[in-house]
Amino acid sequence: MTLTPEQRIQLHGFNNLTKSLSFNMYDICYTKTKEEREAYIEYIDEQYNADRLSKILKNVADIIGAHVLNIAQQDYVPQGASVTMLVSEGPIVEVPEESFEESPGPLPDNVVMQLDKSHITVHTYPEFHPSEGISTFRADIDVSTCGEISPLKALNYLIHSFDTDIMIMDYRVRGFTRDTSGRKLFIDHEIGSIQNYIPDEIKKGFDMIDVNVYQENIFHTKCKLKAFDLDNYLFGYTKEKLSQAEQHEITEWLKLEMDEIYYGKNINRPSVQNSDSL
């Protein structure tokens, strides 16, 4: 289906399509001791507390032109946070032409796009490996919309909002709507890949894999950061404080952790000693 802004489909009634974007990001860190691990978790909880996450979701709502109806937020003990936001159609109902294009969405600005009743949620999950000193922070953001605009327009801003080593994104269009002749439409916009909604300068920095089921309107993209500098994965000190053997071993652990997350499976791990003894 090729559609230009000048060829807008005339619908019979309301657009009943549901478009859902799931954005999952991972931040990996090496924490040598229990004290470092606790400090990292405390740092993450402070950086991504419920108040800051609420601000991020409010900006997402602005980008897709949603009106916030209700916010439920919670910081959890011992760690983690969640925010759920119920949104409705914004005050501006005219859809800009850009909404029909496969292109990165805007960063927060004066953006108005059509949205009907739906929701935006975020949950965070800090965790750690029991023996290798690997700590992982995951955030899951789900943006679900009804109507013409796709939540993919918020993807560019979400990528800029988190410092991420791995991103896993799923997009699905569900249900159907009808044109004035009664013909069902199971999707109302062109999409070849989620990658088309990610800026080129960001794509250059990641290895990327697509798994798409076009006939079902299901799209999946995952990304792993190409560059690796051990200093970016040490919490509270630099690699100069480690021996060459320690640097090599920690680098192996970190890269293995990222590969397992990226490929979604366990990989044979090298023999290790307890991280507290390094």
Side-chain angles (χ1 to χ4, degrees), residues 222-234:
K222 49 188 178 182
C223 318
K224 183 180 70 170
L225 198 63
K226 291 179 180 178
F228 184 91
D229 183 345
L230 183 56
D231 279 337
N232 294 332
Y233 298 89
L234 300 176

Side-chain angles (χ1 to χ4, degrees), residues 8 12 20 22 24 27 33 41 45 73 94 97 99 104 107 119 130 132 149 159 179 215 227 229 231 243 249 255 276:
R8 293 276 297 279
H12 172 72
S20 299
S22 176
N24 311 110
D27 178 75
T33 66
I41 296 297
D45 271 355
Q73 66 180 57
E94 182 178 353
E97 295 180 357
S99 65
L107 298 178
H119 65 272
E132 294 180 10
I149 188 62
I159 293 171
D179 63 19
Q215 66 270 26
D229 183 345
D231 279 337
S243 69
E249 190 168 27
K255 288 186 175 181
D276 289 349

Side-chain angles (χ1 to χ4, degrees), residues 98-106 152-153 156 195-199:
E98 303 87 66
S99 65
F100 289 90
E101 299 175 0
E102 279 189 274
S103 62
L152 285 167
K153 288 298 179 180
N156 185 24
Q195 292 191 36
N196 296 331
Y197 293 84
I198 301 174

Side-chain angles (χ1 to χ4, degrees), residues 62-107:
D62 287 341
I63 287 171
I64 59 179
H67 175 66
V68 178
L69 297 176
N70 182 66
I71 300 175
Q73 66 180 57
Q74 181 66 51
D75 287 304
Y76 296 106
V77 176
Q79 68 241 1
S82 68
V83 179
T84 300
M85 185 177 292
L86 181 65
V87 294
S88 69
E89 184 179 67
I92 306 298
V93 297
E94 182 178 353
V95 181
E97 295 180 357
E98 303 87 66
S99 65
F100 289 90
E101 299 175 0
E102 279 189 274
S103 62
L107 298 178

Side-chain angles (χ1 to χ4, degrees), residues 17-88:
L17 292 171
T18 297
K19 302 164 186 173
S20 299
L21 170 68
S22 176
F23 174 79
N24 311 110
M25 62 75 60
Y26 295 83
D27 178 75
I28 316 299
C29 183
Y30 176 75
T31 47
K32 183 177 180 180
T33 66
K34 178 183 178 183
E35 290 73 22
E36 288 177 6
R37 182 169 63 238
E38 291 173 348
Y40 172 74
I41 296 297
E42 183 178 349
Y43 166 79
I44 286 295
D45 271 355
E46 178 61 29
Q47 284 291 105
Y48 298 105
N49 59 41
D51 286 339
R52 185 188 176 200
L53 294 173
S54 292
K55 291 178 182 177
I56 290 174
L57 295 197
K58 286 178 182 178
N59 283 333
V60 170
D62 287 341
I63 287 171
I64 59 179
H67 175 66
V68 178
L69 297 176
N70 182 66
I71 300 175
Q73 66 180 57
Q74 181 66 51
D75 287 304
Y76 296 106
V77 176
Q79 68 241 1
S82 68
V83 179
T84 300
M85 185 177 292
L86 181 65
V87 294
S88 69

